[in-house]
Amino acid sequence: MDLRVFTEPQQGATYDTLLTVAKATEDLGFDAFFRSDHYLSMGSADGLPGPTDAWITLAGLARETKRIRLGTLMTAGTFRLPGVLAIQVAQVDQMSGGRVELGLGAGWFEEEHKAYGIPFPKEKFARLEEQLEIVTGLWATETGKTFDHHGTYYDLTRSPALPKPAQSKVPVLIGGHGATRTPRLAARFADEFNMPFASVEDTARQFDRVRDAAREAGRDPGDLVYSNALVVCVGKDDQEVARRAAAIGREVDELKANGLAGSPAEVVDKIGRYAETGCSRIYLQVLDLHDLDHLELISARVRSQLS
């Protein structure tokens, strides 16, 4: 089971804070550092000192880390034109020496679009499909040849399809709860399917839908990595769990029901239940980015049992 650290910087974080967490992620043996791609805080968080851009952040981290994978859960398709996104991701992949992964979704948070003047189209899912065709098509085009795409939403003519990523294939992550269109899109484009913030039972059902869609597309379901994203809150004892839950404004019982919370033994046991669904990777949503002792505990008492 791979454990990855997943952050939500729109809730309030500087680049320096993210760098500190990313370096801790690497030093403590976690597999990857991922971040959300949002420009507006959610809930009661003030979001100070303001948002950081996901791909600018990852470009910086690409030069400051050596081993961990880097990526997004999920880049909003509404934020960037697909040709520009392909260039950005390829460049950051080069900067990292081939450690980047692209999580790409349709975009959903309308308020952040209004706040920063970003168009929020109605047909987001159909646009996402075209975006995936373009981004993956640009990367796959042989050097020296050109790429064309004449779709409903985007038109590319004689693109040189440059630059190329350092990796021969940048892993693409697709995720979500949709019962029909999302599994089909994952079967067509994804290297990894991510089920965010879902129960074991809902995860099992969605993974089965993705496997069925892969078979229908003529693809081996085993070609995909299946993963979950879950909030994490671990403590050596009940008092420490309660303190960490209070620090992120959550209740212990709710966290235990909907995430990975409790003692290391409790969390390891619950991860085992997700593993039974076929999950082989978990993105630990870490909400208190200043509590590095939390990451140390997870590495020493949870990750060590799953390696």
Side-chain angles (χ1 to χ4, degrees):
M1 178 69 69
D2 291 336
L3 293 185
R4 297 183 160 190
V5 172
F6 169 45
T7 62
E8 300 272 8
Q10 76 278 355
Q11 300 300 91
T14 64
Y15 171 75
D16 285 341
T17 297
L18 295 173
L19 175 59
T20 298
V21 175
K23 286 186 172 181
T25 297
E26 185 159 82
D27 292 343
L28 292 169
F30 292 100
D31 180 60
F33 175 94
F34 271 58
R35 60 157 291 165
S36 60
D37 195 352
H38 286 295
Y39 293 129
L40 200 66
S41 62
M42 303 169 196
S44 59
D46 57 26
L48 293 175
T52 50
D53 181 84
W55 286 100
I56 291 177
T57 296
L58 294 175
L61 298 181
R63 307 302 288 178
E64 297 280 0
T65 58
K66 296 179 180 179
R67 178 187 59 80
I68 51 174
R69 307 288 294 177
L70 302 166
T72 52
L73 281 183
M74 299 282 187
T75 283
T78 48
F79 287 175
R80 299 167 179 86
L81 296 171
V84 174
L85 180 62
I87 292 170
Q88 290 174 319
V89 177
Q91 183 178 4
V92 178
D93 193 52
Q94 291 176 1
M95 294 168 70
S96 72
R99 294 183 285 123
V100 159
E101 304 183 10
L102 171 63
L104 187 60
W108 61 270
F109 190 19
E110 186 173 5
E111 289 304 310
E112 68 185 337
H113 293 74
K114 291 179 179 178
Y116 286 96
I118 304 168
F120 190 70
K122 290 183 179 180
E123 293 298 326
K124 292 184 290 297
F125 200 91
R127 286 176 182 268
L128 173 61
E129 186 169 5
E130 271 196 44
Q131 289 166 335
L132 286 162
E133 290 176 358
I134 292 166
V135 171
T136 58
L138 287 168
W139 291 338
T141 299
E142 184 179 338
T143 300
K145 296 186 178 180
T146 59
F147 175 82
D148 290 79
H149 175 90
H150 306 293
T152 303
Y153 305 102
Y154 305 101
D155 198 287
L156 286 74
T157 301
R158 294 189 59 77
S159 170
L162 297 171
K164 300 301 185 192
Q167 299 174 88
S168 59
K169 176 73 172 68
V170 172
V172 173
L173 289 72
I174 294 173
H177 295 252
T180 304
R181 298 174 74 184
T182 297
R184 288 177 182 170
L185 203 64
R188 184 177 173 192
F189 293 106
D191 299 282
E192 177 178 338
F193 180 80
N194 180 264
M195 187 60 168
F197 311 113
S199 67
V200 173
E201 294 75 19
D202 287 345
T203 294
R205 281 190 287 270
Q206 187 70 333
F207 284 178
D208 283 342
R209 293 185 188 112
V210 173
R211 294 185 185 102
D212 289 342
R215 293 186 191 97
E216 290 173 8
R219 183 177 180 186
D220 182 352
D223 286 346
L224 284 89
V225 173
Y226 298 86
S227 65
N228 286 89
L230 294 160
V231 63
V232 65
C233 180
V234 186
K236 294 188 293 290
D237 51 39
D238 290 345
Q239 291 76 18
E240 193 167 83
V241 174
R243 175 176 62 78
R244 289 198 164 111
I248 59 174
R250 303 280 285 269
E251 297 293 331
V252 172
D253 289 345
E254 179 267 323
L255 286 169
K256 287 187 175 184
N258 298 313
L260 299 174
S263 68
E266 287 178 288
V267 170
V268 168
D269 180 68
K270 191 164 186 182
I271 288 174
R273 293 172 57 199
Y274 280 97
E276 291 173 358
T277 70
C279 173
S280 62
R281 180 173 293 160
I282 292 182
Y283 294 82
L284 303 171
Q285 186 195 41
V286 177
L287 295 177
D288 185 351
L289 299 182
H290 299 286
D291 186 1
L292 298 183
D293 289 343
H294 192 199
L295 292 181
E296 290 181 9
L297 176 65
I298 295 169
S299 177
R301 302 280 297 278
V302 177
R303 187 192 63 81
S304 62
Q305 295 190 56
L306 301 171
S307 299

